[in-house]
Amino acid sequence: MAQAGNEFQDLAKTAEVLMDFINSSKQENLKQVKDEHQALFDHHMETKKTVTQILKVVAQTEESAGQRLLDMEEEMKRREKELEILEEQLRQGTAKSQMTDSELQFLQRELESLRNTEHELETLQSEVDEDTTEVIPSAVYVAQVYYLITRIKWEYDTQPNILKGVHYGADLATPINIDTSMRSRNDVSDQLWGFVSTEW
């Protein structure tokens, strides 16, 4: 409160001094003071205008910088998301590559096994070929003898329980189709011997 009283006294004293100056001043001095005051006021307005423009530019710069910062943050988030996607794709690709390697190893083992089997089959085939060169001619001979006696030409690509063929008689060719699972061996034998001519 005392400080406010002191300031008021200072202000009153300054006003008093100013009034004394005005009263004691000549007209020319007053005009000079008025002109100086006007010049000071004009300078003040020009400075205020300049400062306002500067503040406006600063505000625009801050706004532009803020927008650029927001854009950069958005871009950073987008890049981070792309990086996460790429990392996930890399993980999946690595897992798939490992699976492919395992499958490749399995297939290589299978191929090796097949090669071994093929080698065994070739060995067996060569053994069968050797046996066949000895057995087939006698089997062909026996089949020819059976045909000459029975005049029956058999089909060999039938089911195991089906006897299928054609009996070539003197005047007529008779088809044969017997299901051995439905008849006894004696009935089948009797039917087949029925085709054989007793005339010599």
Side-chain angles (χ1 to χ4, degrees):
M1 189 73 171
Q3 185 179 358
N6 290 336
E7 288 177 357
F8 181 74
Q9 286 176 0
D10 290 343
L11 185 59
K13 189 175 181 181
T14 302
E16 203 175 296
V17 169
L18 186 60
M19 288 300 294
D20 288 342
F21 174 76
I22 291 172
N23 290 332
S24 65
S25 294
K26 295 182 180 175
Q27 189 69 23
E28 297 86 22
N29 291 338
L30 288 176
K31 185 172 184 318
Q32 182 182 357
V33 168
K34 185 179 178 184
D35 290 343
E36 288 177 359
H37 180 266
Q38 184 64 42
L40 181 63
F41 178 77
D42 292 344
H43 180 70
H44 169 72
M45 292 305 293
E46 188 64 31
T47 303
K48 183 178 179 181
K49 183 178 177 183
T50 303
V51 169
T52 302
Q53 288 177 346
I54 291 171
L55 290 174
K56 187 175 179 182
V57 169
V58 168
Q60 289 175 346
T61 304
E62 287 177 347
E63 183 180 355
S64 176
Q67 186 60 47
R68 282 201 307 273
L69 182 61
L70 288 174
D71 293 343
M72 287 173 68
E73 287 175 352
E74 286 294 322
E75 179 68 13
M76 187 182 299
K77 288 179 184 176
R78 189 179 67 80
R79 293 287 177 90
E80 286 175 354
K81 185 136 184 105
E82 287 179 357
L83 182 59
E84 288 175 4
I85 292 171
L86 288 173
E87 287 174 346
E88 180 61 25
Q89 289 176 348
L90 178 61
R91 279 193 293 273
Q92 291 177 357
T94 302
K96 189 173 182 181
S97 174
Q98 291 172 348
M99 188 182 301
T100 303
D101 290 344
S102 298
E103 289 176 355
L104 182 59
Q105 290 174 1
F106 173 76
L107 290 174
Q108 285 173 339
R109 287 194 298 271
E110 285 292 309
L111 179 60
E112 189 62 30
S113 174
L114 286 173
R115 284 180 178 157
N116 291 337
T117 304
E118 183 182 15
H119 180 68
E120 291 172 6
L121 286 174
E122 286 174 354
T123 303
L124 285 172
Q125 182 66 43
S126 64
E127 292 174 2
V128 168
D129 288 343
E130 289 174 9
D131 293 343
T132 303
T133 54
E134 298 171 2
V135 174
I136 285 185
S138 61
V140 170
Y141 175 74
V142 171
Q144 289 174 348
V145 170
Y146 283 154
Y147 175 72
L148 289 173
I149 294 171
T150 63
R151 306 295 292 170
I152 297 173
K153 192 168 191 177
W154 294 108
E155 292 184 22
Y156 297 103
D157 58 349
T158 61
Q159 297 177 1
N161 60 321
I162 302 294
L163 289 176
K164 205 168 187 181
V166 178
H167 175 259
Y168 294 96
D171 301 322
L172 184 64
T174 307
I176 300 170
N177 191 350
I178 303 171
D179 186 351
T180 59
S181 64
M182 305 294 291
R183 301 175 60 178
S184 70
R185 294 181 71 176
N186 288 336
D187 287 344
V188 172
S189 178
D190 289 344
Q191 183 177 350
L192 292 176
W193 278 111
F195 288 112
V196 178
S197 173
T198 56
E199 297 181 4
W200 296 90

